[in-house]
Amino acid sequence: MRRASGSGKVTAGGTLSRAATVWIPSVITALAFGLLYHFDLVGRVRLPVLLTLVAIGAVSDEVSNRKLRAGVGSVGLHACIALQLLVVTAIIYAIGWGPTLAVGYAFVAARALDEIGSKVWRPMLVWSLVGMTLGQCAVAAGLVTSYVKTPYVHGLGALSGLGMAFVIWMLGSKTEQNERAQAALETGMASFRQLFADNPQPMWVFDAETLAFLEVNEAAVRHYGYSRDEFLALTLRQIRPAGDGDRLRALLASRSEGVEASGGWRHVLKGGREIEVEIRAHTLQFNDRAAVLCSVQDVTARNELEAELRHQAFHDSLTNLANRALFEDRVDHAIHRHARDNRLAAVLLLDLDRFKMVNDSLGHSTGDRLLVDVAARLTTALRPGDTIARLGGDEFAVLIEDLESSEAAVAAADRVTEVLEAPFALGGKEVFVHASVGVTLAGIDGGDAEALIRNADAAMYRAKKAGGSCHRRFEPDMHAAALARFELEADLRRALANDEFVVYYQPILTIDGRRVVSLEALVRWQHPTRGLVAPMDFIPLAEETGLIVELGRLVLHKACLQAKQWRDAGHLDFTMAVNLSRRQLTDPELVDDVVATIAAAGLEPSVLVLEVTESVLLDDAGLAIARLHQLKAAGVRLAIDDFGTGYSSLSSLRDLPVDELKIDKSFIDGIATGADAAGVVQAIIRLARTLNLDTVAEGVEDDDQLHELHALGCGRVQGFRFSKPLPGDQAGELFDEPVSSIGHLDRPDAAGDDEQERRAS
């Protein structure tokens, strides 16, 4: 790259051609001498001799300068300059005008400085002073004629010498300064050219008028794919998309001096691919032409990354749906549109039923694939303009705008529940998952996005409480219920921390011997202000929040300690039954917790009976069976609770390592009056005998039920006919009481609490 400069070396007379600086002054000098002879103003030297001296001076001057330009050492430098100046001295003193023509030295010095450089000015100064000194000596000796009479001739000579010395010093110093400046400029230009050529960013220079490329660096050649010759045959317009033409013309029309930076440009590579670039441009003169120097940065990858980061900031990384932030923003816009244009919009909040079971049984990766499939199905069930979001976990939200009526929102909720009814194929298995949906309307069920989503959440929990796989419209009382549920959850967490839970025990007796053979541990919450809270009021919430795992661990610990206390008191022939929830059964630490708790209490594992409901076993038979086998291997006994309600098959029952079947209370209620219930109970008892399992009838409340169970051959019974759940100290007394006093219906002191205890149990 070459950038044009202003002028060359600066001298007193300016820059002249070599011919002008050598021969023209010699001719002018000869003519001047001719005039001086004409007016008889020269010394005794004849004109031909003088002209010969002038010619010799010109030739010697040119020869000396050539040698100086070719490069000589210090001695040669002084020799050449001495030759030049002594010839000049001979001429000016020969004609009698020596002191007055000292300017001749300055002229010779100026020409030498222009052609040779600053290295000559010091020798010039020395030899000009030597020459003048020799000339003045010749004048004093009478060897040459002087038109200035003594005694002034030597004073004039001295004055002229000083003036001549000052001029030569000034010209030499100025020339040195110019040479240093020129050297610095050339160094800077060389650095600039190197920086331009080796810069890793594409750079080029283009003509400000024609937009033709004047120079490009290697980085531009590599990045754009053109060869250097191809690049220099193009114009700036040819590497830009057609759509950038107007903006390019506007930018060029408004360009100013200095550096300008602009972004948002697109360039086209040789292969046709478009890239996004940022440009820094600077106007300059290039080969005497107005040009623009550009540095180009390819920001395609950076812009794509920024776009991806913006997308991630407002979208769920797993499903690629909108996230909570984007969803709330769009809900706010929908609310404003409703207020301005009365455009109806609805928010649907849905939570997947039994998703936790999928995660726990099949693994989180399978759960993630299920969430992705659910998102895909929701997309197909709704309109392209509807906003679908994943708010977190298994919770999704939908914003539907421009509805005709509230019924359209309900219809959309129906479509959502219907589209999820078909099974999902995950890892070679069919997984069924449904959704509970809450529905709210913008401007009706909430004034802002937060309220609208919160109320949809309350409606969704009402749908979940109704059994799931359905939808509910928000009603004002739902907010109060949701608030109460929130407060209850906070109380539940505090209760675990403050040890507010107590364990009650209900006896299980043999139907023939009427003796206590087992006790079932049932948790109660001794709330500081509400009193004794029944399990049905907090167990579902504990299941939902996952606190049931910690609560179950607490109940197991207290039940084992109580069993150890009774056994230490001499009561050895009984077992302790403790319920396991669905979440506990899927907890990978369950077996270790059970083994550690038994060991800490000092119990034999066979004293503990763990009860699991039949419905829990049906949710994920594979995981349940594996976990039960692990527990059985640890030495504990196992029982199926609420048997008969889950439709488990005989083949699956044979795979379960259980010891007891507990017949559900719903069959016991009708056993004395309905043949169907009695037939079911009889079938269960016979099945248990076939599989060598004990049977326990739950919820026995009167003698008729007891007599019928005895006739059917049931082995054990449990229920209010014998005792309600009791605190540990009271339950321990049952070991010592006579059988006739255990029957609860014969105890008037407890009759008033029957209904409450039934609910609690």
Side-chain angles (χ1 to χ4, degrees), residues 506 509 511 514 665-674 697-711 716-724 742-746 754 758:
Q506 188 175 32
L509 300 93
I511 199 168
R514 304 292 299 276
K665 183 181 183 298
S666 62
F667 298 110
I668 306 304
D669 287 341
I671 193 174
T673 58
E698 296 182 293
V700 179
E701 297 183 354
D702 56 47
D703 289 339
D704 292 337
Q705 294 172 343
L706 180 62
H707 295 324
E708 187 66 27
L709 288 168
H710 188 277
R716 300 177 180 183
V717 289
Q718 176 184 3
F720 277 58
R721 168 64 181 81
F722 312 103
S723 175
K724 66 181 181 179
I742 295 178
H744 174 63
L745 297 181
D746 297 332
D754 283 354
R758 286 189 181 91

Side-chain angles (χ1 to χ4, degrees), residues 201-252:
Q201 288 190 180
M203 298 182 72
W204 56 61
V205 179
F206 67 88
D207 191 294
E209 300 300 327
T210 66
L211 306 185
F213 287 105
L214 303 177
E215 187 61 87
V216 295
N217 70 352
E218 185 61 29
V221 170
R222 288 195 307 268
H223 198 77
Y224 283 75
Y226 297 101
S227 68
R228 186 173 183 279
D229 292 338
E230 288 174 330
F231 234 129
L232 297 180
L234 298 174
T235 67
L236 192 59
R237 292 188 180 92
Q238 291 174 283
I239 65 166
R240 294 183 183 270
D244 284 355
D246 293 340
R247 183 185 174 196
L248 177 61
R249 284 188 290 272
L251 179 66
L252 293 173

Side-chain angles (χ1 to χ4, degrees), residues 335 338 345 441-447 452:
I335 292 173
H338 173 76
L441 298 177
I444 299 174
D445 299 326
L452 206 59

Side-chain angles (χ1 to χ4, degrees), residues 582-637:
R582 175 184 290 106
R583 286 211 174 188
Q584 284 179 280
L585 193 61
T586 57
D587 181 12
E589 299 180 359
L590 171 65
V591 178
D592 292 339
D593 286 343
V594 170
V595 172
T597 302
I598 294 173
L603 284 178
E604 292 294 327
S606 58
V607 175
L608 181 63
V609 179
L610 296 178
E611 298 184 3
V612 182
T613 62
E614 189 179 12
S615 60
V616 170
L617 296 176
L618 293 176
D619 284 338
D620 186 359
L623 176 63
I625 292 173
R627 193 75 80 228
L628 291 180
H629 277 288
Q630 293 171 355
L631 291 169
K632 188 66 177 177
V636 302
R637 293 173 57 84

